[in-house]
Amino acid sequence: MRTTAHELAAAESASRRYQDHSAIASAGGIAAEVYGSLFVPGPNASALLAGRQFLDARLRDAEALDCDLPADPALLAAWMEERSLRVGEAYEEYLQQRTAGAPRRFFSSRAHALNFLMRVAPTKLVDGAWLYSALKGWRDPLLAPLILTYLEELGDGDPAMNHVALFRSLLQSSGCEHTGRLSDEHYVQGAIQLALAHHGHDLQAEVFGFNLGYEQLPLHLLITAYELNELGIDPYYFTLHVTIDNAASGHARKAAQAVMAAAALAPDRERFLLGVRRGYLLNELGASTMSVIESFDTQREVVRILAEKARYGKMMHSDYCRIGGKTVNEWLEEPASIARFLVELVNGKWILRGAPAEHSRFWRLVNAAGGEMFGVFTSYEKAVLKEWIEDGRVPAPRTASFRAKARTSMAATGPVEVPFTPRSVADLDELIAELAPGRHYFSDGLLATRVFSRAYRHGPTS
């Protein structure tokens, strides 16, 4: 477990630092707009209305999709177990292929993996949000599985186990706090989850269904965790979901049992199951894990990064240096010319493709202390530039995985306990606002979660 003092501090710090509203706004689509307006401590009435309209439209989209759920909820347990078995077999086959020398299936490089983290961030940063609406019904025993799952997503108030704080900490430690511009598709899933958070009380069947789909263990989660670790990137956020979502006793089974129990008591069983199917299929909308992974192209990403920097640096360069007959400012004036600018940097020997990055003058300007562009590029952006420059080189010798390095670190620092601050509470309703998706990972939200969790599980104290 990642519970060192350093990691606790990083989680709290990252919780406060990561909120790139400019990047959200720049996406310019409906999903991004809904996401940005709902991912705040207290959405206003206009944001809530837009969220409901967006959710209704996505539910209509979902109705047109094929559904693999069994018609009889009594068969959900067998359905879930069969899915889990197939995932296990596929992962075993993957491991055998890797042992036999097959390359990584998902990530071609560390930069590719970091790009993935940034592209899935809008979804991961609202992890569990769809369950927030269940808190208002904490007196209803049927909602207990959803509420307990939400509390576990929030780490029961432990910042080292709060899923959103964990992912924020991962982004920060990997130099990926600022995602840059993402397409609207990257915000669809997060916007759906936030809309369900604030409107799920009117769409309980859909919340049950979405939870059922989201909590099933997918193959891509196992492979992602394996390859991130291999590339020296902390996989804990992903391995935590592998264990907590297990089909034996974890969130996957609890989600199926919750649907079965609620269906048995539903006044209109068929209508409830229709809502479950609609909610389940919401998981299919927006950018998927595989579409994000497959969309990465190093050349295109280098051009995007430089074009983004050109917005701010096009008037910042001196005119004494000419590359390909133009000054740097002239190259940066037109984003469409960035690809050609890269060609001229190579032609002019500023960049030596296929050689160690340190041999390139451009890289030294970017990376070396005292370089004219030192500090301009983030850790992620430098990783992309370095791998693009070194394209074609013989891969470096394999280094220790993240876990191997972490074992040494943990032996030196040891774990620390996260304190619980006791507080009397007569009514859990007063705490619910602090557990909202835009608040729970801050200090007040973490404290409120600890109090709510203790009181909900064991009964309020007076």
PDB file of all heavy atoms in Angstrom, residues 3 8-9 31 33 90 114 141 250 262 314 321 364 391-392 409 432:
ATOM      1  N   THR A   3       1.228   4.306   1.519  1.00  0.00           N
ATOM      2  CA  THR A   3       0.784   5.129   2.630  1.00  0.00           C
ATOM      3  C   THR A   3       1.948   5.815   3.312  1.00  0.00           C
ATOM      4  O   THR A   3       1.946   6.041   4.496  1.00  0.00           O
ATOM      5  CB  THR A   3       0.017   4.282   3.660  1.00  0.00           C
ATOM      6  OG1 THR A   3       0.854   3.184   4.068  1.00  0.00           O
ATOM      7  CG2 THR A   3      -1.264   3.728   3.087  1.00  0.00           C
ATOM      8  N   LEU A   8       1.138  10.752   1.133  1.00  0.00           N
ATOM      9  CA  LEU A   8      -0.023  11.439   1.689  1.00  0.00           C
ATOM     10  C   LEU A   8       0.031  12.927   1.359  1.00  0.00           C
ATOM     11  O   LEU A   8      -0.965  13.533   0.972  1.00  0.00           O
ATOM     12  CB  LEU A   8      -0.064  11.247   3.212  1.00  0.00           C
ATOM     13  CG  LEU A   8      -0.385   9.843   3.711  1.00  0.00           C
ATOM     14  CD1 LEU A   8      -0.292   9.796   5.221  1.00  0.00           C
ATOM     15  CD2 LEU A   8      -1.763   9.429   3.261  1.00  0.00           C
ATOM     16  N   ALA A   9       1.209  13.510   1.534  1.00  0.00           N
ATOM     17  CA  ALA A   9       1.365  14.931   1.225  1.00  0.00           C
ATOM     18  C   ALA A   9       1.145  15.195  -0.259  1.00  0.00           C
ATOM     19  O   ALA A   9       0.532  16.189  -0.648  1.00  0.00           O
ATOM     20  CB  ALA A   9       2.752  15.402   1.646  1.00  0.00           C
ATOM     21  N   ALA A  31     -19.980  18.182 -24.105  1.00  0.00           N
ATOM     22  CA  ALA A  31     -19.551  17.348 -22.980  1.00  0.00           C
ATOM     23  C   ALA A  31     -18.540  18.080 -22.113  1.00  0.00           C
ATOM     24  O   ALA A  31     -18.617  18.044 -20.883  1.00  0.00           O
ATOM     25  CB  ALA A  31     -18.960  16.036 -23.495  1.00  0.00           C
ATOM     26  N   GLU A  33     -18.213  21.264 -21.768  1.00  0.00           N
ATOM     27  CA  GLU A  33     -18.899  22.360 -21.077  1.00  0.00           C
ATOM     28  C   GLU A  33     -19.660  21.834 -19.873  1.00  0.00           C
ATOM     29  O   GLU A  33     -19.604  22.428 -18.777  1.00  0.00           O
ATOM     30  CB  GLU A  33     -19.842  23.057 -22.054  1.00  0.00           C
ATOM     31  CG  GLU A  33     -20.462  24.330 -21.517  1.00  0.00           C
ATOM     32  CD  GLU A  33     -21.286  25.059 -22.567  1.00  0.00           C
ATOM     33  OE1 GLU A  33     -20.846  25.094 -23.731  1.00  0.00           O
ATOM     34  OE2 GLU A  33     -22.358  25.571 -22.214  1.00  0.00           O
ATOM     35  N   ALA A  90      -7.789 -14.486 -20.872  1.00  0.00           N
ATOM     36  CA  ALA A  90      -7.132 -13.598 -21.837  1.00  0.00           C
ATOM     37  C   ALA A  90      -5.868 -12.985 -21.233  1.00  0.00           C
ATOM     38  O   ALA A  90      -4.855 -12.817 -21.923  1.00  0.00           O
ATOM     39  CB  ALA A  90      -8.097 -12.504 -22.277  1.00  0.00           C
ATOM     40  N   LEU A 114       2.233   7.975 -20.608  1.00  0.00           N
ATOM     41  CA  LEU A 114       1.904   9.236 -19.960  1.00  0.00           C
ATOM     42  C   LEU A 114       0.802   9.968 -20.725  1.00  0.00           C
ATOM     43  O   LEU A 114      -0.088  10.590 -20.127  1.00  0.00           O
ATOM     44  CB  LEU A 114       3.145  10.119 -19.855  1.00  0.00           C
ATOM     45  CG  LEU A 114       4.277   9.590 -18.966  1.00  0.00           C
ATOM     46  CD1 LEU A 114       5.474  10.535 -19.008  1.00  0.00           C
ATOM     47  CD2 LEU A 114       3.799   9.397 -17.532  1.00  0.00           C
ATOM     48  N   PRO A 141     -32.290   0.780   2.699  1.00  0.00           N
ATOM     49  CA  PRO A 141     -31.345  -0.356   2.675  1.00  0.00           C
ATOM     50  C   PRO A 141     -30.975  -0.807   1.263  1.00  0.00           C
ATOM     51  O   PRO A 141     -29.873  -1.333   1.055  1.00  0.00           O
ATOM     52  CB  PRO A 141     -32.103  -1.465   3.421  1.00  0.00           C
ATOM     53  CG  PRO A 141     -33.123  -0.753   4.236  1.00  0.00           C
ATOM     54  CD  PRO A 141     -33.513   0.458   3.447  1.00  0.00           C
ATOM     55  N   GLY A 250     -15.841  -8.363  -4.533  1.00  0.00           N
ATOM     56  CA  GLY A 250     -15.619  -6.933  -4.716  1.00  0.00           C
ATOM     57  C   GLY A 250     -16.783  -6.214  -5.354  1.00  0.00           C
ATOM     58  O   GLY A 250     -17.923  -6.685  -5.357  1.00  0.00           O
ATOM     59  N   ALA A 262     -32.701  -4.955  -6.008  1.00  0.00           N
ATOM     60  CA  ALA A 262     -33.583  -3.842  -6.352  1.00  0.00           C
ATOM     61  C   ALA A 262     -34.660  -4.267  -7.348  1.00  0.00           C
ATOM     62  O   ALA A 262     -35.814  -3.829  -7.252  1.00  0.00           O
ATOM     63  CB  ALA A 262     -32.763  -2.693  -6.923  1.00  0.00           C
ATOM     64  N   LYS A 314       5.538  32.762 -29.728  1.00  0.00           N
ATOM     65  CA  LYS A 314       5.786  33.205 -31.103  1.00  0.00           C
ATOM     66  C   LYS A 314       6.422  34.597 -31.198  1.00  0.00           C
ATOM     67  O   LYS A 314       6.948  34.962 -32.241  1.00  0.00           O
ATOM     68  CB  LYS A 314       4.498  33.159 -31.917  1.00  0.00           C
ATOM     69  CG  LYS A 314       3.362  34.007 -31.377  1.00  0.00           C
ATOM     70  CD  LYS A 314       2.100  33.740 -32.182  1.00  0.00           C
ATOM     71  CE  LYS A 314       0.917  34.510 -31.638  1.00  0.00           C
ATOM     72  NZ  LYS A 314      -0.329  34.204 -32.389  1.00  0.00           N
ATOM     73  N   CYS A 321      18.859  34.375 -35.082  1.00  0.00           N
ATOM     74  CA  CYS A 321      19.030  32.991 -35.562  1.00  0.00           C
ATOM     75  C   CYS A 321      17.977  32.686 -36.624  1.00  0.00           C
ATOM     76  O   CYS A 321      16.782  32.856 -36.391  1.00  0.00           O
ATOM     77  CB  CYS A 321      18.913  32.026 -34.392  1.00  0.00           C
ATOM     78  SG  CYS A 321      19.087  30.309 -34.860  1.00  0.00           S
ATOM     79  N   ARG A 364      19.373  20.175 -25.701  1.00  0.00           N
ATOM     80  CA  ARG A 364      20.127  20.822 -24.623  1.00  0.00           C
ATOM     81  C   ARG A 364      19.515  22.179 -24.271  1.00  0.00           C
ATOM     82  O   ARG A 364      19.509  22.579 -23.101  1.00  0.00           O
ATOM     83  CB  ARG A 364      21.594  20.972 -25.030  1.00  0.00           C
ATOM     84  CG  ARG A 364      22.320  19.632 -25.205  1.00  0.00           C
ATOM     85  CD  ARG A 364      23.826  19.809 -25.243  1.00  0.00           C
ATOM     86  NE  ARG A 364      24.270  20.590 -26.394  1.00  0.00           N
ATOM     87  CZ  ARG A 364      24.538  20.070 -27.582  1.00  0.00           C
ATOM     88  NH1 ARG A 364      24.410  18.756 -27.790  1.00  0.00           N
ATOM     89  NH2 ARG A 364      24.962  20.837 -28.580  1.00  0.00           N
ATOM     90  N   ASP A 391      14.159   8.337 -31.900  1.00  0.00           N
ATOM     91  CA  ASP A 391      13.454   7.320 -32.679  1.00  0.00           C
ATOM     92  C   ASP A 391      14.429   6.465 -33.481  1.00  0.00           C
ATOM     93  O   ASP A 391      15.282   6.970 -34.205  1.00  0.00           O
ATOM     94  CB  ASP A 391      12.475   7.997 -33.646  1.00  0.00           C
ATOM     95  CG  ASP A 391      11.667   6.982 -34.435  1.00  0.00           C
ATOM     96  OD1 ASP A 391      11.127   6.062 -33.808  1.00  0.00           O
ATOM     97  OD2 ASP A 391      11.601   7.112 -35.661  1.00  0.00           O
ATOM     98  N   GLY A 392      14.286   5.150 -33.348  1.00  0.00           N
ATOM     99  CA  GLY A 392      15.146   4.239 -34.098  1.00  0.00           C
ATOM    100  C   GLY A 392      16.356   3.761 -33.323  1.00  0.00           C
ATOM    101  O   GLY A 392      17.054   2.849 -33.770  1.00  0.00           O
ATOM    102  N   SER A 409      12.028   2.013  -1.420  1.00  0.00           N
ATOM    103  CA  SER A 409      11.607   3.260  -0.785  1.00  0.00           C
ATOM    104  C   SER A 409      10.796   2.989   0.470  1.00  0.00           C
ATOM    105  O   SER A 409      10.993   3.611   1.508  1.00  0.00           O
ATOM    106  CB  SER A 409      10.781   4.087  -1.777  1.00  0.00           C
ATOM    107  OG  SER A 409      10.244   5.229  -1.157  1.00  0.00           O
ATOM    108  N   ILE A 432     -23.418  15.413   3.534  1.00  0.00           N
ATOM    109  CA  ILE A 432     -23.455  14.934   2.145  1.00  0.00           C
ATOM    110  C   ILE A 432     -22.804  15.907   1.167  1.00  0.00           C
ATOM    111  O   ILE A 432     -22.080  15.493   0.255  1.00  0.00           O
ATOM    112  CB  ILE A 432     -24.905  14.619   1.731  1.00  0.00           C
ATOM    113  CG1 ILE A 432     -25.389  13.373   2.488  1.00  0.00           C
ATOM    114  CG2 ILE A 432     -25.010  14.399   0.226  1.00  0.00           C
ATOM    115  CD1 ILE A 432     -26.853  13.042   2.261  1.00  0.00           C
TER     116      ILE A 432
END
